[in-house]
Amino acid sequence: MSQKPKPKPSHGLAACPGCAEPLDSGDRYCGACGYDLTAAPAAETEPDRPTVAIVAPVEWPAAPPREAGSLSTATQHPGDLPGTDSGGRDLPTMAVRTDGPVPAGTPAPGGDFELAAPDPRTAVQVDPPRAQPSAEPQAQAEPPAPAPAPDAAAAALCVACRAGRVDTDGYCENCGHAQPRERDHMEQELDTVAAVSDRGLRHHRNEDAFAVSATTLPDGSPASFAIVCDGVSSATRPDEASAAAAQAAGAALLAALPRGIHPQQAMHEAIVAAAEAVNSLAEEPGPDGAEHDPHRNSPACTIVGSVVADGLLVVGWVGDSRVYWVPADRTTPSARLTEDDSWAAQMVAAGLMNEAEAYADERAHAITGWLGADAYELDPHTAAFKPDRSGVVVVCTDGLWNYAEGAEDMARVVPPDAAGRPLAAAQALVGHALDGGGHDNITVALLPFTVALPGAGSA
């Protein structure tokens, strides 16, 4: 991401509809052309996929008391967190149930693709908790023979010319080629989620980060999640911002889901924790009380994530990274489950441009929401869905979706066997972006979503 963060105007517009002059939050008229901003069309968004209410409630267990100071938000119950759908509309605060059959007489949802409206937004890798070692004494085994030390000369050879030695600054003394860094290409795969992050072909470093992991709910059922963060290149230390956000959000979800906190609430709290982590990176005033350089933005990044747990698909985001739903049956519609916090999205929402015109504009990717001390406000978006069929969830930065923007475009490039081979599919999607030009860092995570067939059971 290369656009500099800008405060979100209170009138909802980043630029004048008449002459495209940048606007300030308190403007009532455009200073360039005199356009009456109070008469600008109200933002109206239409959902990009059909939704229906979930008619059966979910009884999530009450969460145990929160440890003091663990997060800044107060403990909430599932119905206290309304969230919004990807069209920006408030979601009903009704409970939902996914742990039992739908009561008799309940009408089946219609339409080709049913996303139920919601109840009530170095690559960092968060691994599942490791099993504790057994307390029983075990027989002492012979210590293994120490492995031979690697050849220091071979380890320091340049990957380009294979002749020069690599200096401590990471460059070859012979040909001057910069050596790959740890975050240039990162991969991780678990049974239920996989992610790949790549520097791309134009950036000098990878400013994306991710966290993927799996855990269990209090009833023993599995849950998995993916968090993807995209550093804002025009801000200070964007790579640190994305890494801190991914680490904090992943740790928050790993702590919240096993405690029985509703996944949508857990996602909300994870985004808050990520924001606090990024805020902590801002420069402190100097000893003389002077603020940091006003020409240097504080570290900033966007965040997007998804949780798959107990039949629910939960998404949360701030910024312009996205989540897509791609059903296993490609004859049924795919869907984008998030709405960008960006200039282009505002223009489309206000009815001033269609989507093709807005995203073709050079200002399209100027973001209106981000994590960081310079953010106008923290406004996490969350939504929960219950797909009625199996598929795969694609969580990605704009380094990928720039090359597959529409939901059907994304479905065409997701391999048909993505649910069974998520890592290979993620690698293929990164390859698609690289083949398209690789203009930005690319990060994508895939979470398979499986719906059990009626009457299916163990053999």
Side-chain angles (χ1 to χ4, degrees), residues 117-459:
D119 164 35
R121 231 239 90 295
T122 3
V124 178
Q125 303 170 352
V126 181
D127 295 323
R130 297 180 179 178
Q132 296 297 323
S134 172
E136 298 179 3
Q138 300 196 7
Q140 294 291 332
E142 289 293 331
D151 185 353
L157 284 179
C158 172
V159 299
C161 68
R162 304 302 298 171
R165 293 177 56 84
V166 178
D167 201 351
T168 55
D169 62 359
Y171 289 83
C172 175
E173 295 177 344
N174 179 50
C175 68
H177 189 90
Q179 304 303 293
R181 287 165 288 192
E182 181 183 6
R183 287 180 63 170
D184 282 357
H185 186 88
M186 301 291 289
E187 299 184 356
Q188 187 178 7
E189 180 180 35
L190 303 175
D191 290 341
T192 54
V193 60
V196 176
S197 182
D198 192 90
R199 178 172 60 90
L201 303 179
R202 303 295 182 91
H203 279 229
H204 69 284
R205 65 182 174 186
N206 190 357
E207 296 169 356
D208 288 356
F210 67 82
V212 296
S213 193
T215 185
T216 56
L217 302 179
D219 63 0
S221 59
S224 58
F225 65 80
I227 296 291
V228 169
C229 298
D230 185 354
V232 179
S233 296
S234 59
T236 306
R237 307 185 336 261
D239 53 332
E240 295 181 31
S242 62
Q247 176 68 48
L253 287 172
L254 274 181
L257 293 174
R259 295 168 56 201
I261 295 178
H262 190 284
Q264 188 175 355
Q265 179 184 344
M267 178 61 74
H268 176 92
E269 295 184 350
I271 295 176
V272 172
E276 292 174 352
V278 179
N279 289 348
S280 69
L281 299 177
E283 296 181 11
E284 298 292 337
D288 56 355
E291 297 291 336
H292 69 275
D293 184 350
H295 300 291
R296 287 162 53 92
N297 293 326
S298 295
C301 70
T302 66
I303 186 170
V304 67
S306 181
V307 176
V308 171
D310 203 9
L312 289 180
L313 192 173
V314 173
V315 298
W317 74 99
V318 174
D320 63 348
S321 293
R322 295 180 176 180
V323 178
Y324 291 85
W325 162 257
V326 178
D329 180 1
R330 300 301 172 84
T331 63
T332 58
S334 301
R336 173 156 62 94
L337 306 183
T338 58
E339 188 69 34
D340 299 344
D341 291 321
S342 69
W343 180 91
Q346 283 192 348
M347 292 297 103
V348 174
L352 302 175
M353 293 182 176
N354 61 40
E355 192 163 300
E357 294 171 339
Y359 282 98
D361 193 283
E362 62 181 7
R363 298 162 291 182
H365 290 276
I367 56 175
T368 58
W370 64 91
L371 305 184
D374 292 338
Y376 181 76
E377 62 182 2
L378 178 61
D379 184 21
H381 310 287
T382 63
F385 308 92
K386 189 182 179 186
D388 65 347
R389 63 200 67 196
S390 298
V392 65
V393 184
V394 181
V395 185
C396 64
T397 62
D398 57 348
L400 171 62
W401 66 252
N402 276 332
Y403 301 100
E405 189 169 321
E408 297 307 320
D409 297 328
M410 183 64 70
R412 279 192 290 271
V413 299
V414 172
D417 61 350
R421 303 175 64 229
L423 178 60
Q427 293 168 336
L429 290 174
V430 169
H432 173 77
L434 293 173
D435 291 343
H439 287 74
D440 202 351
N441 305 146
I442 309 151
T443 301
V444 56
L446 296 181
L447 297 97
F449 186 99
T450 303
V451 174
L453 297 175
S458 58

